[in-house]
Amino acid sequence: MDMVVSISAQHGTGVIELLDALVAHMAQKPAPVEDEDRPCRVVLLGKPNVGKSSLMNHLVKFERSIVSPEPGTTRESISETIQFYKADIQLTDTAGIRRKRTVSDPLETLMVKSSFRAVENADVILLLIDAASGTLADQELKLAFYILEKFKALIILFNKQDLVAGFAKEDMERKLDEYKHLMKKIPVLSISCKTGKDIGRIMPLVHEVYERYKQRFDDDELSMLIKEALQRKPLYHNGNMLIVRRV
């Protein structure tokens, strides 16, 4: 069935309705078969002005993304393919994501949708956080849990370490201690896009995480993993110990 959507490119009206119509149309088509030889897809995600575009330029080794202190410079997802360990890596820089209630402009709404689509198509997410802010914002925690709910591999990068020193660094570590239940299960790096500190550690970590992410287990291997975990730390419900048996 044909569909007509009225839009205005100049004013941005009707663009969200057009995008929704496109997504609905795409959902009716069968999902493409995954190609094992396709590049690892890595997405840079975070709030505006956390350094995503600067990091993108560092990783691709040229000025691929526009870097500006003005929030909202990146308007759409920008992708570039690089090689690491002779494997192709597709890097995608995304528009910054603010809290939903602060987004009112139709264009920014479209930008946010583009960023979330990039997450859904990704393998590994690099979630950038401004270390100078001193803590994890609610928005960043929501993004982290959204990524995990989508079953994507997650690496947290605390950028702008050049602005954190002495008491401020100790204060940040103390504030982050309340999130240790999350941090101890996720790879975390402290970097500085301005000075280049530890940028070289990112791609080896991406490679390591992606190798784990794409592992697949058959039923016997999975049952054995669960049984071994339950032997180390049994689980109980209403006083009864959980026992796993193959049916």
Side-chain angles (χ1 to χ4, degrees):
M1 178 180 173
D2 293 335
M3 180 179 295
V4 177
V5 179
S6 299
I7 67 169
S8 169
Q10 181 176 359
H11 301 289
T13 56
V15 175
I16 295 176
E17 290 77 4
L18 174 61
L19 180 62
D20 289 338
L22 287 171
V23 171
H25 178 69
M26 292 170 61
Q28 297 172 5
K29 296 186 177 181
V33 178
E34 286 289 338
D35 182 6
E36 293 183 359
D37 295 328
R38 65 166 176 76
C40 167
R41 294 172 294 205
V42 180
V43 167
L44 283 60
L45 194 73
K47 298 194 301 181
N49 262 14
V50 293
K52 298 183 297 299
S53 296
S54 295
L55 179 58
M56 178 76 167
N57 292 339
H58 270 289
L59 296 177
V60 302
K61 294 182 169 52
F62 70 95
E63 297 295 316
R64 180 63 178 88
S65 298
I66 298 173
V67 177
S68 169
E70 185 69 25
T73 303
T74 302
R75 295 294 183 99
E76 60 182 351
S77 298
I78 299 172
S79 297
E80 193 71 34
T81 300
I82 64 172
Q83 278 205 327
F84 184 77
Y85 287 170
K86 297 183 179 180
D88 288 338
I89 308 288
Q90 180 183 290
L91 297 172
T92 301
D93 181 18
T94 61
I97 300 176
R98 297 192 298 157
R99 288 180 298 177
K100 188 174 181 179
R101 67 172 178 264
T102 64
V103 178
S104 57
D105 179 49
L107 179 58
E108 186 174 358
T109 300
L110 192 62
M111 290 158 48
V112 170
K113 285 190 175 184
S114 173
S115 297
F116 281 122
R117 281 202 311 277
V119 170
E120 292 177 0
N121 293 325
D123 299 307
V124 181
I125 310 296
L126 303 180
L127 179 60
L128 273 78
I129 295 170
D130 184 350
S133 66
T135 188
L136 277 171
D138 288 343
Q139 173 72 357
E140 290 159 338
L141 285 171
K142 289 177 181 178
L143 287 174
F145 284 113
Y146 174 81
I147 292 164
L148 297 175
E149 287 171 357
K150 292 295 180 179
F151 304 106
K152 307 299 180 180
L154 171 62
I155 298 173
I156 293 180
L157 302 176
F158 283 96
N159 187 30
K160 304 184 183 181
Q161 284 296 325
D162 54 289
L163 300 179
V164 182
F167 176 76
K169 186 174 182 180
E170 295 176 3
D171 186 52
M172 182 186 72
E173 292 174 350
R174 187 163 50 250
K175 289 179 179 177
L176 290 177
D177 192 56
E178 64 178 298
Y179 305 115
K180 61 183 178 181
H181 62 287
L182 175 66
M183 295 300 187
K184 67 181 181 181
K185 298 178 181 179
I186 297 172
V188 177
L189 270 182
S190 294
I191 65 170
S192 170
C193 289
K194 183 176 180 179
T195 66
K197 176 184 179 295
D198 287 334
I199 297 294
R201 297 177 59 190
I202 296 175
M203 292 314 299
L205 183 57
V206 167
H207 175 76
E208 176 188 333
V209 169
Y210 181 59
E211 288 300 309
R212 296 203 306 264
Y213 171 77
K214 66 179 183 180
Q215 278 186 300
R216 296 294 181 267
F217 300 95
D218 61 31
D219 291 344
D220 291 333
E221 290 174 321
L222 194 57
S223 296
M224 185 59 65
L225 283 172
I226 295 174
K227 287 179 180 179
E228 290 176 353
L230 289 175
Q231 287 176 356
R232 292 193 299 270
K233 187 176 181 180
L235 296 178
Y236 293 87
H237 179 67
N238 293 332
N240 298 315
M241 187 172 70
L242 178 64
I243 298 175
V244 177
R245 293 191 178 95
R246 287 289 304 276
V247 178

